[in-house]
Amino acid sequence: MAKTWKLKEIKVENQYNNIPWGKLETARPVDVTKELLNYYGEHYRVEVTIQVLRSIHRRDLADRLTKATQAKWKHVCCGWWKCIT
C-alpha cells in the first residue's frame, strides 16, 4: 500500500485521469485493483501498472507482466505493449 502514491504521479494518456488520492490513500490492494479497472479499463490498467513497477525499480516484475499480457493479448491488434517496452 505504501507505493500507491506512485499512481497519482504517473503520467497517463490524455483521455484518462489519474485516480484521486482520496481513493488510494487507505485503499487495500484489492481496492486499488478495482480502481485501476474503473479508471483505465482492462488493457490500459496493465500499462499503468507496468509504469508504476518501473518507477519503483521493479523492472523484473514489469517485464514479467509485459510478457504475460503479451501472450494473453497477442491477438489484440492495437499492440499497446509496443509503447511500454
Side-chain angles (χ1 to χ4, degrees):
M1 285 194 293
K3 303 292 184 186
T4 56
W5 60 273
K6 285 287 188 177
L7 280 170
K8 70 180 188 137
E9 294 180 345
I10 293 296
K11 182 169 173 45
V12 295
E13 293 180 1
N14 290 336
Q15 67 266 35
Y16 297 100
N17 295 309
N18 287 84
I19 302 170
W21 178 239
K23 292 184 180 253
L24 298 171
E25 189 173 16
T26 59
R28 297 173 306 163
V30 70
D31 297 323
V32 173
T33 302
K34 289 178 184 176
E35 293 300 336
L36 285 165
L37 181 58
N38 289 339
Y39 274 78
Y40 305 122
E42 184 176 356
H43 298 291
Y44 190 60
R45 73 175 170 167
V46 175
E47 184 175 339
V48 170
T49 301
I50 290 168
Q51 288 180 46
V52 169
L53 289 170
R54 288 187 174 155
S55 74
I56 62 170
H57 308 291
R58 290 305 310 260
R59 186 172 181 91
D60 59 322
L61 295 177
D63 291 346
R64 283 176 52 196
L65 181 56
T66 299
K67 288 177 186 167
T69 53
Q70 281 178 351
K72 179 181 176 184
W73 290 324
K74 68 181 178 180
H75 66 280
V76 178
C77 64
C78 66
W80 62 266
W81 58 84
K82 292 177 185 172
C83 300
I84 56 174
T85 57

